[in-house]
């Protein structure tokens, strides 16, 4: 997993989710489904890790906030 800034997990409910999938469409669909449940940053750029299969994508989410906003809530 790539490193991330501490601010992305500085409060209860904030999570960093890195998705590994066999193809870009599947990775992006998984992040989109998370965005239907929680407030997310949306998908990062898709990347590949040298020597590892598939692709990776990341999103930052607040599991305490409903989809549509990134602030505190629910």
């Amino acid at each position: 997993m790539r490193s991330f800034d501490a601010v992305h997990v500085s409060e209860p409910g904030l999570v960093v989710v890195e998705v590994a999938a066999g193809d870009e469409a599947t990775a992006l669909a998984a992040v989109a489904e998370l965005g239907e449940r929680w407030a997310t940053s949306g998908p990062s750029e898709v990347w590949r890790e040298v020597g590892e299969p598939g692709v990776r994508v990341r999103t930052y989410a607040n599991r305490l906030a409903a989809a549509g906003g990134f602030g505190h809530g629910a």
Side-chain angles (χ1 to χ4, degrees):
M1 184 167 163
R2 290 183 174 179
S3 64
F4 55 89
D5 195 300
V7 71
H8 292 116
V9 293
S10 63
E11 299 177 31
L14 300 181
V15 296
V16 178
V17 180
E18 189 171 295
V19 175
D23 61 87
E24 188 172 327
T26 301
L28 293 172
V31 170
E33 287 183 29
L34 286 172
E36 292 175 8
R37 180 178 176 96
W38 298 337
T40 72
S41 63
S44 68
E45 298 255 344
V46 176
W47 76 89
R48 293 182 181 277
E49 291 287 344
V50 176
E52 294 188 21
V55 298
R56 305 283 191 280
V57 66
R58 175 180 285 176
T59 191
Y60 302 95
N62 183 340
R63 67 173 215 56
L64 301 179
F70 204 75
H72 300 282

